[in-house]
Amino acid sequence: MIEITDLHKSYQMGSNSLHVLKGINFKVSQGELVSIMGSSGSGKSTFLNILGMLDEADQGSYTLDGVQIKNLNEKIAARYRNKFLGFIFQSFNLITYKNAIDNVGLPLYYQGLKRKERNERAMHYLEKVGLADWATHLPNELSGGQKQRVAIARALASDPKVLLADEPTGALDTKTSYEVMELIQGINDEGKTILIVTHEPDIAQMTKRIVNLKDGLIIDDRRVEQVRAKSYV
Amino acid sequence: MFNIERWQEIFDTIRKNKLRTFLTGLSVASGIFILVVLLGVGQGMQNGISKEFEDDASNSIWVWTRPTSVEYKGLNPGRMFTLTNDDYDFIQRKHKDQIEFQSSRVRIWSAVVSHKKESGSYSIEGIFPDFQLIENEDMVSGRYINQNDIEERGKVAIIGYKIKKDLFKTIEDPTGLFIQLNNIPFKVVGVYSDKGGEREEDRVFIPSTTAQQVFNRGQTISNLSYTLQPEDNFEATVAKSEEFVASMTAYLKSKHVIAPEDERAIGVNNSLENAKRFYALIFMIKAFFWWVGVCTIIAGVVGVSNIMLIIVKERTKEIGIRKALGAYPISIIGMILHEAIFVTAIAGFTGLIGGLLLLELVGPFVETEFIANPSVNFNVALTTVIILILAGAIAGFFPAWRAARIRPIVALRDE
Ligand SMILES: Nc1ncnc2c1ncn2[C@@H]1O[C@H](COP(=O)(O)OP(=O)(O)O)[C@@H](O)[C@H]1O
Ligand SMILES: [Mg+2]
């Protein structure tokens, strides 16, 4: 599903250059649930953003579902983001003036679906994350956990091949975090490929594979026995 | 433009960002409103001044004589001289192609005019038929002096409406009746009225030939009056008239042995010269209001651009989110411009209609000496609104374009 070889990324800051990713090799197959761990500043977000085509690598190759991702123009990049990828952010990134159902329907708007169909599909995903009753509420009327569920529903709405989550539980309390993880596990059970960036070991334990990043390199990559979030809830 | 989904998206955004929309709209609407009112007042001033001017304005040229002021060829200054029929005929021949209307005038300053028992003292003027057009007289009844009267030295008279009232009292139409001019009977053939009012309606017009004969004026005349054929434009008309005046005075000076440098001896009133000053004033007023108008538009454009910049800045993160969800750059630009143009257009037309309504409602009541019926050319106002919308769109395009091109990760980091 994802194949990365020798990926490099530096940030230019004035005359200094900060080499963040220093040659990453990485493979993910269909249906995996992978966590990317590492201390703060180790380059986890940078890595995920490149995977999500929000940012570009300086060097190396990236293949997503058999498609070479390189030097894409803005238009094609936009289409790939819409079709292949679903994003979940630590800070939710919901559009504040749109209610839950309109937020979830937004990726479908960019696919050119009509409002009626958008609303039907968005409602379906809101039901899936258990927020059908909150469809017409604005983000500021929802709790943190509910916002993240809306964001998950939005990421799922365009039925992407890969879900990318950058610290999805970082802004949530433990109980809510586990509820969100339970939801993510359920989605993975249905076959969706998911990558989660986290620095919390208990969250990482709920995935099926843990990748450790340090000083811009993968120092450890192992499969783990998945802990079901349900057992905590 | 005609994508209904996009319109829904715009309306959603507008509905949920009422304050932003209101502020954008307010600045545009008030700008246009002020502009329309200003242009209206400018037009009103122009109307007012035009009206003041119209009363006694024409393109006429009057020539009369005064005592000389320079010694010349042994002749003392202070010498009187008189214009004659020869002068009139010569100028007529020389400037045939240029002259539109012409008349000499023989003036008897005060004569006793009577009908039966009623009498009064009025001025008598011996003139040619064209004089009616030079002085812009309207006939109340009867006719004006005609060429036949001139040739036959007819004892016919045209009297002013005021004289008719004084002498004929209740008689509705005095044409055909007789009046005495210094005891000489004349037949009234017409009654005229003048826009200048009663003070211009106390004259008796008779044929110039008759006047010279009856009042013993020989070949002499009191003054000359002309109007010239208009040229293609005002400037050329003024230039031609100045040329005409110069050529005519040069001739009269040589004919009557007057020093070429004598500025006093020949009096000339060229009302086109006055018109020139008048048009210069109008032009300045117009230029001033246009300048103010252009400044208002520039301020409006700057205002709209600023708002667009702020809107784009404010929406950077939203743009990042939209891009992360797969928005094409073009759809981002479209979204921002579409909203901006829509809001500017609605607000612009609101301001336009508001300004026009104000002028329409208040305008007719404004009647001071300098402002009359302020109004505005609808097309000009409409053009202004369109300029503002276009300028807003162009001003908005660049920030929108930049926002659409920044990498989503940069936009997302924006707080
Ligand atoms: N846009 C940027 N410009 C400069 N430096 C950056 C930028 N983004 C991240 N960095 C730096 O790159 C390093 C890795 O950042 P990041 O990938 O966010 O780490 P993590 O998510 O693991 O905490 C950090 O030192 C961070 O300061
Ligand atoms: Mg991070």
Side-chain angles (χ1 to χ4, degrees):
Chain A
M1 178 62 64
I2 290 175
E3 202 170 336
I4 294 276
T5 38
D6 196 30
L7 188 85
H8 286 261
K9 174 75 181 175
S10 307
Y11 286 115
Q12 219 63 40
M13 302 206 304
S15 53
N16 300 16
S17 159
L18 183 64
H19 203 169
V20 180
L21 302 178
K22 303 172 179 167
I24 298 217
N25 295 293
F26 185 55
K27 248 186 188 171
V28 179
S29 329
Q30 169 81 42
E32 281 200 77
L33 176 55
V34 184
S35 57
I36 299 165
M37 290 198 67
S39 55
S40 180
S42 57
K44 308 183 292 292
S45 296
T46 305
F47 183 41
L48 198 75
N49 289 335
I50 291 171
L51 290 178
M53 299 168 58
L54 297 179
D55 206 349
E56 273 173 61
D58 299 333
Q59 191 190 318
S61 82
Y62 172 20
T63 317
L64 174 60
D65 198 32
V67 179
Q68 182 81 36
I69 308 296
K70 196 161 193 187
N71 294 333
L72 302 178
N73 70 29
E74 277 284 349
K75 215 172 144 182
I76 296 174
R79 199 167 71 232
Y80 284 4
R81 269 179 226 132
N82 187 277
K83 242 174 61 176
F84 291 158
L85 302 161
F87 270 99
I88 302 160
F89 303 91
Q90 178 177 357
S91 55
F92 323 125
N93 281 345
L94 298 176
I95 290 179
T96 51
Y97 63 83
K98 284 184 178 290
N99 63 24
I101 194 165
D102 286 347
N103 262 291
V104 175
L106 200 53
L108 303 173
Y109 171 73
Y110 288 119
Q111 284 184 353
L113 294 191
K114 297 267 175 277
R115 176 163 286 225
K116 188 164 171 293
E117 194 175 352
R118 290 207 305 267
N119 284 347
E120 275 169 16
R121 282 228 231 160
M123 203 58 204
H124 167 76
Y125 285 104
L126 278 177
E127 272 162 17
K128 200 177 172 75
V129 300
L131 287 177
D133 294 340
W134 296 82
T136 58
H137 287 250
L138 289 173
N140 63 12
E141 298 162 350
L142 302 175
S143 71
Q146 287 173 321
K147 282 187 215 174
Q148 198 57 295
R149 284 161 183 273
V150 173
I152 291 169
R154 183 177 66 183
L156 288 172
S158 59
D159 194 21
K161 300 202 180 303
V162 179
L163 274 193
L164 301 170
D166 193 350
E167 314 238 11
T169 61
L172 307 176
D173 62 47
T174 312
K175 181 169 172 292
T176 320
S177 298
Y178 291 165
E179 285 167 4
V180 165
M181 282 312 293
E182 189 192 350
L183 184 59
I184 289 176
Q185 285 178 336
I187 294 161
N188 176 245
D189 291 343
E190 291 170 14
K192 190 78 68 193
T193 312
I194 306 178
L195 271 68
I196 300 174
V197 161
T198 182
H199 61 262
E200 297 165 82
D202 53 338
I203 297 295
Q205 284 300 325
M206 294 179 181
T207 64
K208 296 173 178 168
R209 176 181 163 193
I210 300 178
V211 173
N212 244 303
L213 223 57
K214 193 181 179 196
D215 291 335
L217 286 170
I218 294 177
I219 53 163
D220 182 32
D221 184 348
R222 65 197 151 84
R223 297 185 184 279
V224 291
E225 190 56 43
Q226 187 181 31
V227 177
R228 297 303 293 197
K230 203 171 178 102
S231 55
Y232 289 99
V233 181
Chain B
M1 257 310 177
F2 300 104
N3 181 341
I4 183 140
E5 296 296 317
R6 170 103 133 252
W7 278 104
Q8 282 171 343
E9 184 73 12
I10 301 297
F11 284 131
D12 275 358
T13 316
I14 289 173
R15 217 182 356 257
K16 285 154 188 165
N17 294 281
K18 289 199 184 75
L19 184 67
R20 181 174 82 200
T21 309
F22 176 75
L23 289 177
T24 314
L26 188 71
S27 69
V28 171
S30 56
I32 292 287
F33 180 82
I34 291 169
L35 181 74
V36 168
V37 171
L38 269 179
L39 288 179
V41 171
Q43 183 65 46
M45 283 180 79
Q46 189 182 335
N47 294 347
I49 293 172
S50 300
K51 225 172 106 214
E52 292 282 296
F53 182 77
E54 257 167 25
D55 279 348
D56 40 48
S58 70
N59 53 347
S60 58
I61 296 167
W62 293 83
V63 185
W64 65 97
T65 61
R66 286 185 293 217
T68 59
S69 65
V70 179
E71 182 189 333
Y72 188 56
K73 293 191 175 168
L75 296 169
N76 285 333
R79 178 177 59 95
M80 294 292 291
F81 69 100
T82 322
L83 299 173
T84 66
N85 289 354
D86 283 350
D87 297 330
Y88 179 69
D89 293 341
F90 181 88
I91 292 167
Q92 169 173 11
R93 255 179 282 121
K94 185 167 178 208
H95 296 283
K96 200 162 65 247
D97 298 338
Q98 263 178 283
I99 294 170
E100 184 186 31
F101 303 122
Q102 59 183 343
S103 173
S104 64
R105 176 161 68 169
V106 177
R107 204 157 191 190
I108 294 91
W109 278 104
S110 90
V112 178
V113 179
S114 61
H115 170 73
K116 298 202 172 143
K117 290 202 181 83
E118 305 292 340
S119 76
S121 172
Y122 305 98
S123 103
I124 296 171
E125 303 187 0
I127 43 78
F128 282 88
D130 279 1
F131 199 70
Q132 180 185 7
L133 299 161
I134 296 171
E135 277 279 66
N136 220 347
E137 316 287 21
D138 296 321
M139 298 313 293
V140 178
S141 60
R143 61 169 178 85
Y144 204 72
I145 301 292
N146 61 29
Q147 194 57 34
N148 201 36
D149 299 330
I150 301 285
E151 278 158 21
E152 293 181 352
R153 298 168 197 256
K155 294 214 179 61
V156 292
I158 316 296
I159 61 173
Y161 191 68
K162 178 176 183 297
I163 301 178
K164 188 241 115 186
K165 280 196 297 184
D166 291 348
L167 300 185
F168 292 95
K169 307 287 183 195
T170 55
I171 295 173
E172 196 55 45
D173 182 4
T175 55
L177 301 177
F178 281 84
I179 52 174
Q180 314 281 325
L181 303 183
N182 283 357
N183 290 321
I184 302 158
F186 277 72
K187 185 176 174 185
V188 176
V189 293
V191 178
Y192 75 90
S193 69
D194 192 298
K195 287 197 190 65
E198 290 212 332
R199 71 193 151 88
E200 303 268 331
E201 289 175 354
D202 59 354
R203 292 179 291 176
V204 178
F205 293 122
I206 59 177
S208 96
T209 47
T210 315
Q212 284 178 333
Q213 188 182 47
V214 168
F215 295 99
N216 295 320
R217 293 302 179 96
Q219 295 286 300
T220 67
I221 53 186
S222 309
N223 51 40
L224 304 168
S225 56
Y226 299 96
T227 67
L228 301 183
Q229 301 284 359
E231 298 292 321
D232 292 342
N233 61 62
F234 183 74
E235 287 302 313
T237 307
V238 171
K240 274 280 184 205
S241 79
E242 282 170 350
E243 202 178 286
F244 170 79
V245 166
S247 150
M248 178 187 62
T249 45
Y251 160 74
L252 290 176
K253 280 175 182 174
S254 79
K255 171 88 185 306
H256 294 277
V257 200
I258 295 160
E261 69 271 22
D262 190 337
E263 295 292 338
R264 231 191 94 74
I266 294 168
V268 177
N269 179 8
N270 183 354
S271 55
L272 271 177
E273 292 254 347
N274 302 336
K276 196 165 128 186
R277 280 198 288 279
F278 161 75
Y279 280 107
L281 178 65
I282 291 278
F283 175 79
M284 266 165 60
I285 291 172
K286 271 195 152 169
F288 172 73
F289 278 97
W290 270 109
W291 185 73
V292 172
V294 167
C295 287
T296 312
I297 294 202
I298 290 173
V301 169
V302 170
V304 171
S305 323
N306 267 333
I307 292 166
M308 290 301 297
L309 269 173
I310 292 167
I311 287 177
V312 170
K313 184 104 196 64
E314 190 179 85
R315 294 181 78 171
T316 302
K317 179 149 186 155
E318 180 193 335
I319 289 166
I321 297 171
R322 287 175 181 271
K323 291 194 81 171
L325 297 178
Y328 292 141
I330 187 84
S331 83
I332 301 282
I333 297 173
M335 171 181 78
I336 290 170
L337 286 191
H338 198 155
E339 183 188 328
I341 291 172
F342 180 71
V343 171
T344 321
I346 296 285
F349 286 113
T350 306
L352 175 67
I353 290 166
L356 290 176
L357 269 182
L358 183 78
L359 289 179
E360 199 62 32
L361 294 178
V362 178
F365 298 104
V366 179
E367 200 68 57
T368 71
E369 201 167 340
F370 296 110
I371 301 177
N373 190 23
S375 59
V376 76
N377 182 330
F378 183 75
N379 286 336
V380 169
L382 190 66
T383 309
T384 321
V385 174
I386 291 168
I387 289 176
L388 202 61
I389 294 171
L390 283 181
I394 292 166
F397 176 79
F398 291 101
W401 186 69
R402 233 188 45 216
R405 284 182 54 92
I406 56 176
R407 272 182 296 171
I409 189 64
V410 177
L412 278 171
R413 246 197 314 267
D414 192 84
E415 280 313 322

